[in-house]
Amino acid sequence: MKAKDRLNAVIDNIEKVIIGKRDIAELSMVAMLSHGHVLLEDVPGVGKTMLVRALAKSVGAEFKRIQFTPDLLPSDVIGVSIYNPKDMEFHFRPGPIMGNIILADEINRTSPKTQSSLLEAMEEASVTIDGVTMPIPKPFFVMATQNPIEYEGTYPLPEAQLDRFLLKVKMGYPSPKEEMEVLSRAQLSAPIEDLEEVISLEEVLALQEEVKKINVDETIRSYIVELTRQTRNDPYVYLGVSPRGSIALMKASQAYAMLKGRDYVTPDDVQYLAKFVFGHRIMLRSEARYDGITADEITDRILAKTRVPVQRLVGQ
């Protein structure tokens, strides 16, 4: 089975639970294939948790859920060493971060100290306890959620934490027709309980290696660099996209190209993914907020004025 077919089998499986959100399922797969993570920002009740659970079931992954609260400690996330008086030694008890697919629910409700406990895990795929570094099982994928409406008692994610997320996406409400279908499926049983594995973890790991071979032409790399450079020079932007953001856009474009059945990246891939990669990395000046300018609008403006590379003919 081709890579495109295997990936679409996963997305089709997720759609048995999440109605009308194929684009969000695709972006989740893009992040997983790129060894990245997703920040999912939306109101409660639109299916964020179901999406992550459906993804985990579809690839046979170990799913862990962490409910972030103001009193949560870093040890509650990564684990702790406990002294055993019988053998007079410390034994490590792993925390919920030791899984394949992690739902970090309402991540902005916990303190910055606890938020930072995710940094090493998300960047290095390892945790350090008492000076000992331990690897996290592979594949490792974090989807963090936060409520964009309720800010009381929350701790906004710092730039360093935001930059660790490959993509930031929003689910949105379903259409009336889609919501009718949701009610119909949920009337007798929960669709998530009947979901079955369609590809294995070994296949996911193989696809993660295969996606690195997707060709990124020099003109595409130059296009990505120009887009990120312009975010740093925009008068409304206080802090533009970092080189890590350029790498994120390139890797995401490779994964998206594989999802669409190609072995090369096109400018359309870059343009489609730019707002999901740039949106949470662009820090706006106060003037932008006063004028009602958003990061997505700045990204759209940059895309509109930047020259798109033209496809080169074979032999040129």
Side-chain angles (χ1 to χ4, degrees):
M1 187 184 295
K2 295 181 179 179
K4 176 185 177 181
D5 297 330
R6 283 179 286 175
L7 294 173
N8 277 295
V10 175
I11 294 166
D12 291 341
N13 207 43
I14 293 174
E15 281 199 304
K16 295 177 181 178
V17 177
I18 305 297
I19 310 298
K21 301 297 178 185
R22 189 176 184 88
D23 56 338
I24 305 300
E26 288 183 347
L27 290 169
S28 301
M29 287 302 301
V30 163
M32 179 182 286
L33 291 173
S34 308
H35 298 273
H37 310 282
V38 172
L39 178 60
L40 191 54
E41 185 178 79
D42 222 317
V43 296
V46 293
K48 299 187 293 292
T49 302
M50 284 295 107
L51 171 65
V52 190
R53 287 184 62 193
L55 176 59
K57 279 203 165 192
S58 298
V59 300
E62 183 181 14
F63 170 74
K64 297 288 185 68
R65 181 179 185 273
I66 308 173
Q67 181 63 52
F68 283 84
T69 56
D71 60 346
L72 196 73
L73 299 174
S75 58
D76 297 326
V77 175
I78 61 178
V80 64
S81 293
I82 299 176
Y83 181 73
N84 188 342
K86 291 183 178 180
D87 57 11
M88 295 185 292
E89 291 185 357
F90 284 91
H91 296 272
F92 175 65
R93 178 174 293 179
I97 199 68
M98 289 293 191
N100 297 123
I101 294 183
I102 312 298
L103 172 62
D105 206 10
E106 295 188 287
I107 188 175
N108 58 334
R109 288 208 169 276
T110 197
S111 67
K113 182 177 182 180
T114 305
Q115 289 175 8
S116 65
S117 66
L118 288 173
L119 285 175
E120 181 186 2
M122 292 171 63
E123 188 70 17
E124 308 294 340
S126 63
V127 295
T128 302
I129 305 291
D130 298 331
V132 179
T133 299
M134 289 165 284
I136 292 176
K138 295 181 180 181
F140 177 65
F141 173 65
V142 175
M143 182 171 283
T145 70
Q146 62 179 13
N147 184 348
I149 304 300
E150 192 175 356
Y151 291 106
E152 187 175 350
T154 62
Y155 302 84
L157 295 176
E159 287 78 6
Q161 181 79 31
L162 286 170
D163 209 26
R164 260 58 175 192
F165 290 99
L166 185 84
L167 307 173
K168 180 183 177 182
V169 300
K170 298 178 181 180
M171 292 189 71
Y173 288 116
S175 68
K177 182 179 179 181
E178 291 165 351
E179 196 161 359
M180 287 287 289
E181 179 65 21
V182 170
L183 296 180
S184 177
R185 294 189 186 186
Q187 184 175 355
L188 298 178
S189 64
I192 188 71
E193 303 302 331
D194 300 325
L195 219 57
E196 296 181 353
E197 175 183 331
V198 291
I199 67 171
S200 65
L201 283 182
E202 289 71 24
E203 288 179 284
V204 173
L205 291 171
L207 289 170
Q208 286 180 333
E209 292 304 311
E210 192 175 335
V211 77
K212 298 175 183 177
K213 302 174 185 177
I214 299 295
N215 182 55
V216 186
D217 191 82
E218 183 180 352
T219 59
I220 299 293
R221 294 197 298 271
S222 177
Y223 183 49
I224 291 172
V225 169
E226 179 61 20
L227 291 175
T228 55
R229 187 190 67 81
Q230 289 198 46
T231 67
R232 302 165 196 164
N233 297 329
D234 192 283
Y236 279 119
V237 176
Y238 171 72
L239 185 66
V241 178
S242 68
R244 182 187 280 128
S246 301
I247 296 171
L249 183 53
M250 181 184 71
K251 289 185 174 181
S253 298
Q254 287 177 291
Y256 190 71
M258 174 184 280
L259 188 65
K260 297 303 177 182
R262 286 183 272 102
D263 61 358
Y264 58 91
V265 174
T266 69
D268 288 341
D269 300 331
V270 176
Q271 292 172 344
Y272 172 68
L273 292 165
K275 67 178 181 180
F276 302 112
V277 176
F278 287 177
H280 57 295
R281 290 181 166 92
I282 294 176
M283 302 294 119
L284 300 176
R285 297 182 183 274
S286 57
E287 295 89 338
R289 291 190 289 271
Y290 294 148
D291 294 343
I293 302 296
T294 65
D296 283 352
E297 289 174 338
I298 289 174
T299 302
D300 289 338
R301 186 170 64 193
I302 290 173
L303 287 169
K305 71 179 182 180
T306 304
R307 191 181 72 85
V308 179
V310 179
Q311 183 179 5
R312 297 192 297 184
L313 298 176
V314 176
Q316 286 190 336

